[in-house]
Amino acid sequence: MILGLLKEYGTETRVALLPETVKAFTDLKVQVLVEQGAGETAYAADSDYEAVGASIVSRSDVFAKAEVLLQIQPPAEGDIQKIKDSQVWISAFNPLWDTKLVKTFLDKGTTTFSLDLIPRTSRAQAMDILSSMATVSGYMAVLEAASKLPTFFPMFMTAAGTIRPANVLILGAGVAGLQAIATSRKLGAQVQVFDVRSAVKEEVMSLGGKFVEVEGATEDKAAGGYAVEQTEEFKKKQQQAINDVAAKSNVVICTAQIPGREAPLLIPKEAVEGMKPGSVIIDLAASTGGNCELTKDNETVVHKGVTIIGQSNYPAQKPMDASRMFGKNVLNFMKLIIAEEGALNLNFEDDIVKGTCITHAKEIYNERVKSVIETK
Ligand code: NAD
């Protein structure tokens, strides 16, 4: 197999494979073409890639010669035509949300894998880019909140008096939320948490957070560990409870998401107006509309003294470790499609390969994507 590693675009600073992971591919007899400068923003030089057996080539050569194209971000508008129908495209392109791109790939007949849809099974844990990147986001969200907050996170007892610890409210206790709880606690804040999945209560408590219970949440085991849409009655009850806690919080970290849908609205404008001036909201769900009504993706908004930061790509602020984790996940996944002597083997008998495949031979393979496209 000839694997082509593309340089990312825009504000993305990560790279899908660092040299250390490229070495694992060359050891498997995969030929790796690296676009010139691909690792620059993650502090990996072209010479580091060459040292582990990769060839540095131009972008057009990667598109012309690779059998498998690898990039973190979805293809840029102008790159879609460059992908040949016979090539395999691997990235994280949010197909439950970006159905237009899925239809484009479907029409072209390209084989595509979207790593954000790796099934959530124990065998697939080491390939789960969502978990890896959510870990970075949860950590960074807290650090950014702590640096923007006009008060401290920990309690300080000083000769100049006692400083009270910050109150942090975390919405959603998935991977990012749990990391945000752990980081907030390490910095000494008091943490309260909302989620609609009761299964997370013990994890929240074991990390030192207080789980705020609202009765009547809808849960669905078939959703693969994800949250589902809630009833109107529950939403009203939950809203009241969130408004009350938010009014007493200095920081709100929003992480609540529902795959394939807009993020649930949990902090309406009135709730922001009920918060103390100087408070900070970090909205990690910004790219799918945000949990806060006033969130703007990739922007900072200040409303009546409350700072609302819409940030959906914190991993790009930690490019070395984020690339390291992403690359390890890619390697673990790609081992499933690499046969002897490094040959490409699309083994759709494997549930992880089939579940992560979005389009192949003009068909949609992933069942969730198929149903989203059929109902749109
Ligand atoms: P996510 O990013 O889809 O959502 C974040 C959190 O928001 C979830 O905990 C969800 O329940 C919560 N949420 C959604 N709507 C909400 C609402 N209205 N109010 C409050 N909270 C709401 O989730 P995620 O972090 O990617 O993962 C969710 C879970 O999947 C994990 O906690 C874990 O149990 C499971 N998981 C399994 C594997 C695996 O087995 N390979 C890997 C990763 C995650």
Side-chain angles (χ1 to χ4, degrees), residues 134-157:
T135 301
V136 184
S137 299
Y139 168 81
M140 287 301 293
V142 174
L143 293 196
E144 173 135 42
S147 74
K148 293 284 181 324
L149 198 68
T151 56
F152 292 118
F153 257 45
M155 180 170 94
F156 282 141
M157 293 172 84

Side-chain angles (χ1 to χ4, degrees), residues 30-97:
V30 173
Q31 193 185 332
V32 185
L33 305 180
V34 175
E35 179 180 342
Q36 198 171 24
E40 229 165 55
T41 50
Y43 304 94
D46 287 349
S47 54
D48 299 334
Y49 286 101
E50 279 176 320
V52 291
S55 311
I56 303 298
V57 299
S58 67
R59 187 170 182 78
S60 55
D61 269 359
V62 178
F63 276 104
K65 294 181 183 158
E67 284 170 84
V68 177
L69 294 164
L70 177 64
Q71 182 174 293
I72 296 175
Q73 293 290 341
E77 197 69 29
D79 282 345
I80 297 174
Q81 310 81 283
K82 294 183 198 156
I83 305 168
K84 290 184 273 181
D85 301 355
S86 58
Q87 279 171 323
V88 176
W89 174 267
I90 302 182
S91 76
F93 57 90
N94 203 355
L96 290 169
W97 185 252

Side-chain angles (χ1 to χ4, degrees), residues 190-239:
Q190 311 267 22
V191 180
Q192 299 202 63
V193 183
F194 278 87
D195 202 302
V196 287
R197 293 180 304 120
S198 55
V200 295
K201 182 179 171 182
E202 274 179 29
E203 283 176 273
V204 168
M205 285 165 42
S206 72
L207 289 169
K210 183 174 170 225
F211 189 73
V212 187
E213 244 162 310
V214 182
E215 279 178 13
T218 310
E219 300 193 43
D220 181 2
K221 283 210 169 75
Y226 286 110
V228 291
E229 187 70 29
Q230 300 298 312
T231 61
E232 285 309 314
E233 192 195 343
F234 174 83
K235 282 186 194 167
K236 261 194 211 141
K237 259 204 287 183
Q238 187 193 32
Q239 192 59 68

Side-chain angles (χ1 to χ4, degrees), residues 29-353:
K29 301 205 166 49
V30 173
Q31 193 185 332
V32 185
L33 305 180
V34 175
E35 179 180 342
Q36 198 171 24
E40 229 165 55
T41 50
Y43 304 94
D46 287 349
S47 54
D48 299 334
Y49 286 101
E50 279 176 320
V52 291
S55 311
I56 303 298
V57 299
S58 67
R59 187 170 182 78
S60 55
D61 269 359
V62 178
F63 276 104
K65 294 181 183 158
E67 284 170 84
V68 177
L69 294 164
L70 177 64
Q71 182 174 293
I72 296 175
Q73 293 290 341
E77 197 69 29
D79 282 345
I80 297 174
Q81 310 81 283
K82 294 183 198 156
I83 305 168
K84 290 184 273 181
D85 301 355
S86 58
Q87 279 171 323
V88 176
W89 174 267
I90 302 182
S91 76
F93 57 90
N94 203 355
L96 290 169
W97 185 252
D98 191 352
T99 50
K100 191 171 158 244
L101 183 59
V102 176
K103 285 181 186 152
T104 305
F105 281 136
L106 191 62
D107 292 343
K108 278 170 71 71
T110 317
T111 299
T112 59
F113 290 93
S114 196
L115 299 168
D116 45 352
L117 286 193
I118 295 264
R120 291 200 135 177
T121 55
S122 30
R123 190 167 72 97
Q125 255 171 11
M127 311 168 197
D128 192 343
I129 60 144
L130 285 186
S131 293
S132 309
M133 297 305 110
T135 301
V136 184
S137 299
Y139 168 81
M140 287 301 293
V142 174
L143 293 196
E144 173 135 42
S147 74
K148 293 284 181 324
L149 198 68
T151 56
F152 292 118
F153 257 45
M155 180 170 94
F156 282 141
M157 293 172 84
T158 75
T162 300
I163 302 281
R164 291 174 54 76
N167 289 312
V168 175
L169 165 60
I170 295 176
L171 301 174
V175 183
L178 292 174
Q179 183 58 47
I181 299 170
T183 310
S184 300
R185 294 289 299 149
K186 278 181 209 156
L187 287 177
Q190 311 267 22
V191 180
Q192 299 202 63
V193 183
F194 278 87
D195 202 302
V196 287
R197 293 180 304 120
S198 55
V200 295
K201 182 179 171 182
E202 274 179 29
E203 283 176 273
V204 168
M205 285 165 42
S206 72
L207 289 169
K210 183 174 170 225
F211 189 73
V212 187
E213 244 162 310
V214 182
E215 279 178 13
T218 310
E219 300 193 43
D220 181 2
K221 283 210 169 75
Y226 286 110
V228 291
E229 187 70 29
Q230 300 298 312
T231 61
E232 285 309 314
E233 192 195 343
F234 174 83
K235 282 186 194 167
K236 261 194 211 141
K237 259 204 287 183
Q238 187 193 32
Q239 192 59 68
Q240 193 50 55
I242 290 177
N243 287 2
D244 292 348
V245 180
K248 295 183 194 116
S249 301
N250 309 95
V251 169
V252 179
I253 310 256
C254 304
T255 79
Q257 308 223 44
I258 306 173
R261 290 174 177 266
E262 271 196 21
L265 175 61
L266 302 174
I267 303 283
K269 190 170 163 213
E270 307 83 79
V272 177
E273 289 175 355
M275 292 175 71
K276 290 173 279 225
S279 302
V280 176
I281 299 174
I282 307 273
D283 200 336
L284 295 179
S287 68
T288 51
N291 294 148
C292 174
E293 189 178 351
L294 303 178
T295 296
K296 290 211 168 87
D297 194 17
N298 294 321
E299 281 185 36
T300 296
V301 175
V302 180
H303 182 78
K304 301 206 168 159
V306 178
T307 302
I308 304 142
I309 300 174
Q311 175 55 272
S312 32
N313 196 4
Y314 275 123
Q317 294 182 19
K318 282 277 169 277
M320 277 173 100
D321 274 340
S323 302
R324 180 166 291 130
M325 293 160 92
F326 194 99
K328 202 67 203 282
N329 293 146
V330 170
L331 171 68
N332 289 332
F333 169 69
M334 286 195 65
K335 278 181 179 167
L336 303 178
I337 56 168
I338 298 172
E340 274 176 30
E341 298 302 311
L344 177 65
N345 169 32
L346 297 177
N347 173 18
F348 292 116
E349 299 290 302
D350 187 304
D351 63 315
I352 299 177
V353 177

